Amino acid sequence: MTEAPVNDRAPEKDGGKRFWLDDRRNVHKLFWALVVVCSFLFLSDAFYEKHVIYAFENWFGFFGLFGFFLSFALVLTARELRKILMRDEDYYDR
Amino acid sequence: MTAEFPPGLLLIVGALLVPFIKGNLRSVYMLALPLLGIWQLTALEPGVFGVMSIFGFELTHVRIDKLSLLFGYIFYIAATLSVLFAWHSDDLVEQASALVYVGAAIGATFAGDLITLFIYWELVAIASVFLIWAGRTNRAYRAGFRYLIIQISSGVLLAAGAVLRASETGSVAFDKIGLDSPGGTLILLAFGIKCAFPLLHNWLQDAYPEASVTGTVFLSAFTTKLAVYALARGYAGTDMLIWIGATMTALPIFYAVIENDLRRVLAYSLNNQLGFMVAGIGIGTTLAINGAVSHAFAHILYKALLFMSMGAVLYRTGTAKGSELGGLYKTMPWTTGFCIVGSASISAFPLFSGFVTKSMILTAAAEEGYLIPFLVLLFASAGVFHHSGIKIPFFAFFAHDSGKRPREAPINMLLAMGLTAFLCIAIGVYPQPLYALLPFPVDYTPYTTTHVVTTLQLLLFSALAFATLQRTGLYPPELRSTVLDFDFSYRWLAPRVVNWLMDAGGRAWITMTSGLLPMLRGLIALAFKYCGPEGVLARSSQAGSMAMWVLVLLATYLVLYFV
């Protein structure tokens, strides 16, 4: 994220109107709402019988943890790849 | 109207009239053609039509069966929606070539033999390049040429493969081909180029984002899905495709995370989605094939929707770069909403189209015991949500406020996006009509508790990872950049290798001319000196002096005799 305060130019651009998401506190609320939903989903594994094929799919919360950690790894790997692969925008046009 | 008039030809012939119709009437006409096409398909009975014999080979212009019909329908639907999206456009070249392009793709879908397939295949390549050139920038012009060279090569390989196959089997019929002959390998390579197999893929990410706002929407639907159809027809159950497909799902998502041009991000995720289909075709069970082709059906819609929303953004703001965008939801709320529907569909959220199609492929992979491909596909499913599901709408419409306040997209674009979004949800909520169109009977229930809960877990935890990375500042920011991909080899490396060879050749020439040549000249001069017309060894003499010399010799001899 950039260092500039988020949506600082918004109110005067929009005729003084402020959008719900302009308030950083609401963005925090959204994040914590997601955390709550994820916790419920994680726990929901206890309340139904999984019909899966491989045994490891039956591990408690497997799909959630798989999604979280591999996404994390995906982004961090891609970040490192930038060091090797990123060039200027006009790289091929020079 | 029956199959006596081949389905694709309707649009190709129809395109000839486009220049003579002006204004809104032209858009009405262009919309009527694919609708007419859909109506024609509903009237068709399975069978073959337009069979003719040329040089002892039997050609089948039109073959109607469930597989070709499914692709025929979705191609016409995509054409209808794309024409609606491009209603405001009055670029004659783009409009006419779009119709020919769609017509050729449909013609290829119904082709019953490899020769007919080849003709339409090349027509697809040639017609589509004009959609890229319609971007009318220098970059588009050059990307178009690279695209054309690669696409034509695919056709050349197809032709070569067809010829080999004809000599091997005595037939050019387009049925199951397989890899047990050299011809089959060449044809797979031809399909693989069009399907953007790993290392053969870069034309896609190179060219599509350079096309015009409306051209990319057309392009996203036809070329690659025609290749998926061709693979499903010719190579179902080919083991190698499972691994190729799995690789295709995984590799592009790394690029999608760091790419800045959002239309290029979509091109990478298109590539990733093709991987799911290719893997399904490789598995080859009825469930897997049903999954692959239904996923192609759903994919054409949500991918078009995503390209439409980014097209609308590009149309209104003049850029599709993540680094320049953000906060557009304030003035483009409808486009934002439709984009999110597309994102949810590609991410396979329950109640959206991707959910009821992609899951068949994953289930088939697990059931057949392909553990590693299954895990890779699962990883790619989380990854696709990451970059297509969140990154695209987030950086375009939310993220940091770019200060841009563009107007909402034009009404025709909104209408096209709305209809496409409706179809994405309709398929997700009520998949039975789509299932009924599939080539094999469907014995599959997408909405089970296990499936819904595990999918939600996978996706929402992936969202949580995104949010956490954003909050901690670990997420790589959108930066103006070029990310090197395999096209590096032919856009940077190959020209330099050729230049080096030319340089080395030049230097060798100079060495030769500056060093070797004077030596050679010296040799010639020396020879000339002694053997030339004035040379000592070649001088001509008069007979008298010869006689005198003989006299001198004889006199000397006489003197020596007496001494």
Side-chain angles (χ1 to χ4, degrees):
Chain A
M1 296 284 279
T2 49
E3 288 303 311
V6 171
N7 301 339
D8 54 340
R9 282 168 296 181
E12 60 274 23
K13 276 248 179 199
D14 302 312
K17 185 178 172 191
R18 282 192 76 84
F19 286 78
W20 188 73
L21 280 174
D22 281 344
D23 193 338
R24 283 229 86 156
R25 281 172 300 181
N26 291 330
V27 179
H28 290 305
K29 274 185 209 163
L30 272 184
F31 174 75
W32 289 111
L34 182 64
V35 172
V36 171
V37 171
C38 283
S39 324
F40 275 116
L41 272 172
F42 188 77
L43 295 176
S44 67
D45 264 6
F47 298 101
Y48 74 101
E49 193 186 341
K50 260 194 203 174
H51 296 284
V52 290
I53 293 154
Y54 293 109
F56 62 80
E57 292 179 81
N58 260 325
W59 296 344
F60 195 87
F62 168 75
F63 284 89
L65 297 176
F66 186 91
F68 185 84
F69 286 110
L70 282 175
S71 298
F72 222 93
L74 163 70
V75 173
L76 295 184
T77 314
R79 228 174 96 107
E80 295 309 304
L81 278 178
R82 252 193 181 167
K83 291 179 185 161
I84 311 168
L85 297 175
M86 198 168 80
R87 297 290 186 277
D88 288 337
E89 199 168 31
D90 61 347
Y91 181 70
Y92 287 121
D93 302 323
R94 283 180 291 191
Chain B
M1 195 161 57
T2 65
E4 296 307 317
F5 198 81
L9 221 50
L10 179 74
L11 295 189
I12 298 172
V13 174
L16 296 176
L17 282 179
V18 168
F20 303 105
I21 306 171
K22 299 274 179 257
N24 266 338
L25 205 60
R26 190 193 284 166
S27 300
V28 174
Y29 171 73
M30 286 185 59
L31 195 63
L33 282 178
L35 289 174
L36 198 65
I38 294 178
W39 175 74
Q40 183 197 7
L41 288 191
T42 57
L44 289 178
E45 295 294 328
V48 291
F49 306 91
V51 180
M52 52 197 153
S53 191
I54 294 178
F55 303 129
F57 291 113
E58 195 176 84
L59 305 189
T60 310
H61 199 156
V62 180
R63 172 209 6 229
I64 311 281
D65 61 8
K66 286 200 97 167
L67 186 60
S68 56
L69 266 181
L70 179 84
F71 279 85
Y73 276 121
I74 189 58
F75 282 169
Y76 273 129
I77 293 171
T80 311
L81 295 165
S82 305
V83 168
L84 189 59
F85 184 77
W87 187 279
H88 63 282
S89 161
D90 59 352
D91 185 332
L92 180 63
V93 175
E94 188 188 316
Q95 289 170 315
S97 54
L99 281 186
V100 175
Y101 172 45
V102 177
I106 292 171
T109 305
F110 287 104
D113 67 273
L114 294 167
I115 304 295
T116 313
L117 180 72
F118 163 72
I119 291 167
Y120 281 120
W121 195 263
E122 290 291 47
L123 191 55
V124 164
I126 294 164
S128 57
V129 78
F130 287 96
L131 295 171
I132 296 162
W133 284 335
R136 297 187 193 279
T137 59
N138 190 31
R139 282 171 72 98
Y141 173 72
R142 285 155 55 182
F145 264 113
R146 288 190 292 270
Y147 169 87
L148 190 61
I149 290 168
I150 295 170
Q151 294 293 314
I152 295 289
S153 317
S154 159
V156 171
L157 285 170
L158 175 58
V163 170
L164 275 180
R165 245 189 105 67
S167 68
E168 284 157 6
T169 64
S171 149
V172 288
F174 179 28
D175 292 308
K176 183 146 177 55
I177 297 172
L179 279 178
D180 37 358
S181 67
T185 311
L186 280 185
I187 296 173
L188 179 69
L189 210 55
F191 292 174
I193 291 177
K194 263 213 177 19
C195 200
F197 280 6
L199 303 191
L200 307 175
H201 67 284
N202 244 151
W203 59 268
L204 174 66
Q205 292 86 355
D206 181 18
Y208 280 13
E210 303 298 341
S212 66
V213 164
T214 46
T216 311
V217 178
F218 277 104
L219 287 167
S220 75
F222 301 100
T223 302
T224 48
K225 261 61 75 182
L226 171 61
V228 167
Y229 160 80
L231 284 173
R233 172 80 68 191
Y235 295 92
T238 305
D239 252 4
M240 191 209 290
L241 290 183
I242 302 171
W243 299 95
I244 293 176
T247 314
M248 277 167 82
T249 59
L251 284 188
I253 59 181
F254 291 95
Y255 278 92
V257 171
I258 47 179
E259 175 60 50
N260 183 32
D261 184 331
L262 295 182
R263 290 206 300 172
R264 190 158 279 127
V265 174
L266 287 179
Y268 275 113
S269 79
L270 200 170
N271 207 172
N272 144 286
Q273 294 297 300
L274 291 172
F276 283 97
M277 299 167 213
V278 172
I281 292 165
I283 295 165
T285 58
T286 55
L287 178 66
I289 297 291
N290 272 344
V293 299
S294 65
H295 197 51
F297 192 100
H299 165 85
I300 285 175
L301 293 171
Y302 60 65
K303 192 46 95 183
L305 179 56
L306 286 167
F307 270 119
M308 282 179 193
S309 64
M310 284 307 110
V313 167
L314 175 63
Y315 183 69
R316 281 302 193 214
T317 66
T319 181
K321 288 173 187 158
S323 56
E324 320 293 310
L325 294 171
L328 299 189
Y329 78 97
K330 294 177 179 177
T331 51
M332 300 181 83
W334 286 99
T335 307
T336 309
F338 293 140
C339 180
I340 290 174
V341 172
S343 298
S345 302
I346 195 173
S347 315
F349 256 94
L351 302 181
F352 293 91
S353 59
F355 181 79
V356 300
T357 55
K358 189 166 80 180
S359 51
M360 282 194 256
I361 301 170
L362 278 149
T363 308
E367 276 178 358
E368 298 304 309
Y370 293 108
L371 173 61
I372 294 172
F374 171 72
L375 287 173
V376 174
L377 296 189
L378 205 59
F379 162 62
S381 300
V384 74
F385 178 51
H386 227 271
H387 64 75
S388 263
I390 307 178
K391 173 173 171 164
I392 291 284
F394 182 76
F395 284 109
F397 299 109
F398 302 99
H400 68 279
D401 196 323
S402 61
K404 289 187 166 64
R405 294 292 182 271
R407 278 191 297 149
E408 181 58 278
I411 184 74
N412 63 301
M413 288 189 174
L414 289 180
L415 208 59
M417 285 190 273
L419 276 172
T420 317
F422 169 78
L423 288 173
C424 287
I425 298 173
I427 292 172
V429 174
Y430 186 58
Q432 277 71 24
L434 172 58
Y435 284 178
L437 282 174
L438 297 182
F440 302 106
V442 176
D443 175 27
Y444 179 76
T445 320
Y447 288 102
T448 62
T449 313
T450 305
H451 187 205
V452 171
V453 174
T454 52
T455 305
L456 284 177
Q457 284 174 335
L458 185 75
L459 295 182
L460 288 179
F461 272 83
S462 171
L464 189 65
F466 180 88
T468 313
L469 287 161
Q470 277 287 348
R471 285 171 71 87
T472 49
L474 283 172
Y475 199 90
E478 296 296 282
L479 298 174
R480 289 187 191 179
S481 57
T482 298
V483 183
L484 301 185
D485 196 349
F486 189 67
D487 57 351
F488 176 78
S489 63
Y490 57 83
R491 291 176 71 183
W492 195 94
L493 197 60
R496 275 157 184 78
V497 168
V498 170
N499 279 345
W500 181 81
L501 284 175
M502 303 280 274
D503 275 1
R507 273 200 301 279
W509 178 250
I510 289 165
T511 313
M512 210 175 77
T513 49
S514 63
L516 224 54
L517 221 57
M519 279 169 68
L520 208 63
R521 280 210 189 93
L523 200 68
I524 291 172
L526 201 68
F528 191 82
K529 188 176 169 193
Y530 292 104
C531 307
E534 300 300 316
V536 179
L537 295 174
R539 201 181 294 152
S540 59
S541 309
Q542 287 176 341
S545 67
M546 285 289 287
M548 197 196 74
W549 277 111
V550 171
L551 199 67
V552 169
L553 273 174
L554 285 174
T556 314
Y557 176 71
L558 203 63
V559 170
L560 286 173
Y561 183 79
F562 285 109
V563 172

